[in-house]
Amino acid sequence: MNNLIQTLKPRIESFRESMYLLARNKLSLLALIVLVLLVLSAIFAKVLIPYPQDIADASHIEIKLQPPSAEHWMGTDELGRDIFSRVVYGARVSLSSALGAVGLSLLIGIPLGAIAGSFGGWVDNVIMRLTDIFLSFPPLLLAIAMVAIMGSGLNNAILAISLSWWPWYTRLLRGQAISVKERKFVQAAETIGTSRLKIIFKHIIPNCISPVIVQASMDIGGVILTLASLSFLGLGAQLPTPEWGLMISMGRTYFPDKWWYCIFPGVAIFITVLCFNLLGDAIREILDPKTRKK
Amino acid sequence: MLKYIIKRILSSIIVLLGVITITFFIARVIPSNPEVKWAGQRATQEQLEAARIELGLDKSLPEQYVIYLRDLLHGNLGMSLNTHQPVATELKRYMPATLELVLLAFLLAVLIGIPLGIYSAKKKDKMLDHVSRFFSIGAVSLPTFWVALFLQLIFYKSLSLLPIGGRISVEATIFQSMPKITGLLLLDCLLTGNFALMGDAFRHIILPCITISLYPIGLVARMTRSALLEILGEDYITAGHSYGLRDSKMLWKYALKNSLGTTATDVALSMGYTLTDTFLVEAIFSWPGIGSYIANAVTSLDYPAIIGVTLFGACCYIILNLLADIIIASDPRVRL
């Protein structure tokens, strides 16, 4: 037990130092708080929203396109559905889809990066050239092309984003793997005859994964934005899913007269992505040894 | 140096080949029944068969790949399923409008972003630095298509100051002929001295241009700031200080010059992102560029047009990357 505390001590201290640095930056702390609230409201969305039936295709035509009021804080849409309920529930759709897309990219990117880094030679060359090729497409464009042709829908959009996003993680993990591969414990495992694949999955990946996970969590904001853009083009989520990008796209028909329909879902996207980016920026600064010294 | 550039060009060509292969796979392996789109829903069996032959779908995949490569070498991107026109010709027609928008947005990004970055590096951790940080991160967090709508709401609906979209007013197109020299409308008006038309075109470009430039402004400001801060921490700057050189002289004469290489690279790279943003914004402002073209292609599943634009975007991106690397390589501190 004492031993465990001894080994964990530097880690705990560095974590505490990080938290201190994070707390010192008020804006990042605020971003963290807002994000926690957002995640909570996404989890408990069904209980929190005032009109739960409005997240599907309920319709109350008699109150359609009402401006914001005490009953409907963000107004109503063309079917009389409460926009506030849909926006809150939209957090659930966006966050879970973004997590799915990033998770899928990690699932492709991490093994490829580990294989490239630990095998080296032509395997490394082939995998790295492949990442070069995928990174030569402007980010959103490859996803647009893929979903447009696979057929629109939230799942296809998630798949298309992961297929265009994984190379970043492959590159990052490969860089880590190259240095870890030279460490003594990997050499020890090689000496006792552990198989190459087992070394990669049991020793190399677990020791390389933290910076990749940090990067991935910072990417969630960007992925939410990409998903919203695809839905705005009609390629992502389909009706009646309360997806933010799709809501803006639907509201365009009534814009600018019924401005609330477009504006509120956009504010939701902005706040969410902004918080992720502010936090990501703070994390980057904390992890950067140059700024940390001070 | 020259050897490096040649090596870099060769590797770009290999990447380009890879990009072409991927687009070929997306175009030929995934889609279902392009011949139906080509010949129409009510086409007979014979017409569909004819369409398959016309589109080259009757050949084996490797054969199709060779034909695809050969066509691309001749600048042939295939036929649009919608208009039955060559995609390359249509791209050429829509290109100048997009180029005009992107160039102007980048001019704005450099003119605002670099001074903002310099200023926040100079006043690090002061109020203005925080404001500029917030602005930069805010700018990259905004959904551009939403900003476009928001600007329309304010400047068109509420203030009635600027037009809601298009490249030029309808009245203007009725009473005068469009100057066609470079295809960049503002420049053409300037060259022909048609200032009334230029004013009209200018009023139309303001909103889309601001929308598109937000992202690069934020990025350029952030990058300039961090590049400058890194250089200000170098030994030679400390040495300069200890010689008693003035702060402003150190900043402008020694630090800024050395940080511009990094900034230029970032500008080049962010252009790729901006290109895609442009597509969404164009569709909202009915700007007759490549963005509106692909937005239409997406809704009507005109896959040769989609693939054509994707390939075109990737080419631009590869060339920009190449230029960025050459700029870095021309920095004497980088030894190759």
Side-chain angles (χ1 to χ4, degrees):
Chain A
M1 189 63 197
N2 236 343
N3 242 341
L4 185 71
I5 294 177
Q6 277 304 316
T7 45
L8 281 182
K9 210 177 168 194
R11 287 203 176 190
I12 295 172
E13 267 173 8
S14 114
F15 179 73
R16 271 177 52 186
E17 198 187 324
S18 303
M19 287 317 283
Y20 164 73
L21 284 170
L22 186 65
R24 217 181 43 174
N25 188 335
K26 302 241 163 40
L27 205 57
S28 323
L29 193 65
L30 185 71
L32 183 65
I33 296 171
V34 175
L35 270 187
V36 170
L37 288 177
L38 257 166
V39 171
L40 284 178
S41 65
I43 295 173
F44 299 108
K46 280 195 171 141
V47 198
L48 285 174
I49 52 180
Y51 302 92
Q53 73 280 12
D54 284 2
I55 55 168
D57 45 5
S59 86
H60 331 275
I61 298 291
E62 65 287 357
I63 50 163
K64 69 170 184 184
L65 297 168
Q66 302 269 321
S69 63
E71 292 84 55
H72 300 282
W73 295 350
M74 295 180 182
T76 59
D77 66 8
E78 80 275 26
L79 291 176
R81 292 174 298 193
D82 180 44
I83 292 180
F84 176 71
S85 299
R86 291 177 65 77
V87 166
V88 173
Y89 196 82
R92 195 185 166 105
V93 178
S94 290
L95 287 175
S96 56
S97 317
L99 274 179
V102 170
L104 212 54
S105 320
L106 287 173
L107 229 49
I108 309 172
I110 289 177
L112 280 178
I115 290 170
S118 41
F119 276 81
W122 67 269
V123 179
D124 181 31
N125 242 323
V126 169
I127 295 179
M128 282 304 109
R129 290 300 80 74
L130 204 62
T131 63
D132 283 347
I133 293 167
F134 272 88
L135 293 177
S136 309
F137 288 97
L140 186 60
L141 203 53
L142 184 59
I144 290 181
M146 283 198 270
V147 212
I149 286 159
M150 286 192 289
S152 26
L154 195 53
N155 289 338
N156 280 351
I158 292 173
L159 187 65
I161 291 175
S162 357
L163 284 178
S164 51
W165 210 279
W166 63 269
W168 297 108
Y169 304 135
T170 302
R171 282 195 173 179
L172 199 58
L173 200 108
R174 171 182 174 267
Q176 297 284 322
I178 286 175
S179 69
V180 168
K181 155 178 103 163
E182 302 300 330
R183 301 260 289 274
K184 289 268 170 4
F185 62 89
V186 176
Q187 288 171 359
E190 269 168 8
T191 326
I192 58 167
T194 317
S195 78
R196 254 314 199 2
L197 278 180
K198 198 169 172 190
I199 291 178
I200 289 177
F201 284 95
K202 285 208 92 160
H203 299 292
I204 292 185
I205 293 182
N207 280 293
C208 298
I209 211 165
S210 4
V212 184
I213 299 293
V214 170
Q215 180 62 45
S217 54
M218 297 197 292
D219 286 345
I220 289 185
V223 172
I224 290 180
L225 213 53
T226 312
L227 258 166
S229 308
L230 285 177
S231 295
F232 179 75
L233 284 172
L235 293 170
Q238 301 294 309
L239 290 173
T241 315
E243 204 276 343
W244 295 331
L246 180 64
M247 288 170 78
I248 298 177
S249 155
M250 295 313 291
R252 260 191 84 194
T253 325
Y254 311 98
F255 192 82
D257 293 317
K258 320 282 181 203
W259 54 270
W260 54 90
Y261 196 173
C262 281
I263 294 301
F264 290 118
V267 173
I269 299 177
F270 175 56
I271 291 176
T272 314
V273 180
L274 180 69
C275 287
F276 272 110
N277 286 347
L278 280 173
L279 205 60
D281 201 56
I283 293 175
R284 201 174 301 127
E285 212 149 89
I286 288 170
L287 295 180
D288 184 358
K290 275 188 211 148
T291 40
R292 186 154 196 154
K293 254 191 322 208
K294 297 160 197 162
Chain B
M1 173 75 189
L2 191 70
K3 217 168 116 191
Y4 170 77
I5 293 178
I6 292 172
K7 215 173 120 190
R8 192 61 192 69
I9 292 176
L10 282 179
S11 77
S12 296
I13 293 174
I14 294 173
V15 167
L16 186 64
L17 258 174
V19 163
I20 291 171
T21 312
I22 290 180
T23 52
F24 172 78
F25 266 94
I26 299 178
R28 295 295 156 91
V29 182
I30 313 174
S32 48
N33 308 330
E35 68 271 19
V36 178
K37 272 236 73 190
W38 180 261
Q41 284 295 336
R42 296 209 184 122
T44 59
Q45 202 55 46
E46 290 83 56
Q47 282 171 318
L48 284 182
E49 215 35 62
R52 281 179 66 81
I53 292 167
E54 203 178 336
L55 293 172
L57 296 169
D58 53 330
K59 301 196 175 65
S60 69
L61 267 188
E63 267 181 280
Q64 287 191 37
Y65 182 65
V66 173
I67 295 171
Y68 184 69
L69 277 182
R70 199 188 59 204
D71 283 353
L72 282 180
L73 268 179
H74 291 102
N76 180 358
L77 290 169
M79 291 284 198
S80 155
L81 295 182
N82 271 345
T83 55
H84 289 227
Q85 294 279 316
V87 173
T89 320
E90 297 199 313
L91 278 184
K92 231 178 272 165
R93 194 165 69 230
Y94 288 108
M95 182 65 213
T98 300
L99 195 65
E100 183 175 35
L101 202 54
V102 173
L103 286 180
L104 207 63
F106 265 85
L107 193 66
L108 211 62
V110 169
L111 287 181
I112 300 176
I114 291 184
L116 200 64
I118 295 173
Y119 210 77
S120 44
K122 229 169 101 181
K123 307 266 176 205
K124 186 175 184 290
D125 291 328
K126 298 266 169 54
M127 192 58 202
L128 195 110
D129 183 31
H130 289 305
V131 172
S132 132
R133 171 176 176 238
F134 187 78
F135 174 81
S136 317
I137 299 179
V140 299
S141 310
L142 280 166
T144 24
F145 52 92
W146 178 77
V147 177
L149 292 170
F150 192 74
L151 290 177
Q152 282 180 342
L153 178 68
I154 295 177
F155 290 98
Y156 170 75
K157 172 98 165 63
S158 303
L159 303 174
S160 314
L161 270 178
L162 294 168
I164 191 163
R167 202 176 176 193
I168 202 139
S169 314
V170 182
E171 306 87 67
T173 53
I174 295 171
F175 295 116
Q176 35 202 319
S177 61
M178 293 289 125
K180 276 203 184 79
I181 305 168
T182 57
L184 308 177
L185 194 54
L186 283 175
L187 191 62
D188 288 352
C189 292
L190 189 69
L191 291 177
T192 51
N194 191 341
F195 293 108
L197 200 64
M198 189 173 161
D200 188 65
F202 187 69
R203 274 162 43 83
H204 279 82
I205 207 172
I206 292 177
L207 291 185
C209 181
I210 290 177
T211 317
I212 292 167
S213 63
L214 281 181
Y215 183 89
I217 288 176
L219 206 71
V220 169
R222 292 297 290 161
M223 294 301 170
T224 310
R225 175 184 180 272
S226 63
L228 207 52
L229 281 179
E230 195 160 302
I231 284 168
L232 286 175
E234 298 267 343
D235 288 344
Y236 74 92
I237 298 288
T238 322
H241 277 300
S242 48
Y243 273 119
L245 293 178
R246 266 179 299 118
D247 273 7
S248 57
K249 189 170 179 188
M250 290 304 298
L251 180 76
W252 291 101
K253 190 149 182 224
Y254 297 102
L256 189 63
K257 211 166 78 189
N258 286 331
S259 71
L260 280 183
T262 330
T263 312
T265 332
D266 293 316
V267 170
L269 293 183
S270 69
M271 223 157 173
Y273 282 88
T274 314
L275 198 69
T276 336
D277 264 348
T278 314
F279 292 170
L280 290 165
V281 174
E282 277 185 9
I284 293 173
F285 285 106
S286 328
W287 190 261
I290 295 179
S292 301
Y293 181 62
I294 196 178
N296 281 333
V298 164
T299 34
S300 59
L301 280 181
D302 183 356
Y303 82 89
I306 299 171
I307 295 296
V309 176
T310 309
L311 210 50
F312 169 78
C315 282
C316 292
Y317 210 40
I318 292 173
I319 292 171
L320 286 170
N321 265 309
L322 183 66
L323 288 179
D325 278 355
I326 291 175
I327 294 174
I328 296 176
S330 60
D331 185 334
R333 286 170 303 172
V334 181
R335 215 169 285 156
L336 295 161

